[in-house]
Amino acid sequence: MGFGCLVLPSVSIGGSLGLVYGTIRESVVQEFITPNHGARPTPAPLYLTNGRVQEDEFSGTAVTWSVLFSPLDRLRIGASWRPAHELDVDRKVSVGGVGQRFNDTWVYRFPDEYRLGGELRLSGRWHLGADYQFMNFTSAHGREDWQDDMTDEYTLSAGLERAQGFDRRAGWSNRPLRLGVQHRQWGYEVGG
């Protein structure tokens, strides 16, 4: 749910309320193989294979504020800010093989998110754009097992685009075309 309005001929502002809901599911299985050392028949297993399934269900809301500035006819610059927000987490853990099941609840605090982008219209149907996104995940709180592996997250993207054309009998030259590059550092380094 959101809104947007033109406050000046070259300035628009907007805001949105996002309903956040999602699940992270981790599953680990440990399988033990009993050595038989050539014995016939194969001996009964000494150890029981077990598995652990953990589901973290996130829910909450996040607000985002944005502004769009068009100082020139061919140039647009936009920015947005999502303040730090908290999500409720319901953790469900089920362990098979040893028969254990439990639930836990806690709160995860996401950091502020900042975005900045711009677009320059070149000649004809060509556009040049770039954007930057940053989140300080070292200030996130909630999962102690992740905390030591958290780092600042950022994304830098740039691209060149030819918009779709509508000329009669132009064939392939009417097709949109996009070329781009992106560099991203995740906020969580998997496996350290």
Side-chain angles (χ1 to χ4, degrees), residues 110-159:
F110 275 85
D112 293 273
E113 179 183 30
Y114 304 94
R115 291 179 179 260
L116 177 65
E119 178 191 53
L120 178 63
R121 270 192 343 213
L122 305 173
S123 64
R125 298 171 12 220
W126 291 93
H127 302 258
L128 182 65
D131 61 68
Y132 179 74
Q133 172 258 348
F134 176 78
M135 293 179 78
N136 181 11
F137 264 107
T138 54
S139 67
H141 296 289
R143 280 204 60 163
E144 299 302 324
D145 56 330
W146 287 4
Q147 202 64 43
D148 292 339
D149 294 322
M150 300 303 280
T151 184
D152 293 341
E153 178 174 298
Y154 67 88
T155 306
L156 180 60
S157 306

Side-chain angles (χ1 to χ4, degrees), residues 52-132:
R52 181 178 193 271
V53 176
Q54 174 179 301
E55 287 186 358
D56 290 341
E57 191 173 277
F58 294 80
S59 61
T61 58
V63 175
T64 303
W65 301 104
S66 59
V67 63
L68 179 63
F69 179 54
S70 302
L72 304 171
D73 184 41
R74 296 179 169 270
L75 178 65
R76 294 190 305 176
I77 300 169
S80 70
W81 170 56
R82 187 178 66 199
H85 57 283
E86 294 182 345
L87 298 180
D88 296 324
V89 183
D90 183 19
R91 175 174 286 177
K92 299 172 186 167
V93 177
S94 175
V95 181
V98 291
Q100 182 182 13
R101 183 174 291 201
F102 65 90
N103 288 7
D104 190 14
T105 58
W106 43 282
V107 174
Y108 191 84
R109 182 170 175 79
F110 275 85
D112 293 273
E113 179 183 30
Y114 304 94
R115 291 179 179 260
L116 177 65
E119 178 191 53
L120 178 63
R121 270 192 343 213
L122 305 173
S123 64
R125 298 171 12 220
W126 291 93
H127 302 258
L128 182 65
D131 61 68
Y132 179 74

Side-chain angles (χ1 to χ4, degrees), residues 3 19 21 23 27 29 60-61 69 85 87 99 112 114 118 129 185:
F3 76 94
L19 305 176
Y21 183 80
T23 302
S27 179
V29 175
T61 58
F69 179 54
H85 57 283
L87 298 180
D112 293 273
Y114 304 94
Q185 176 175 298

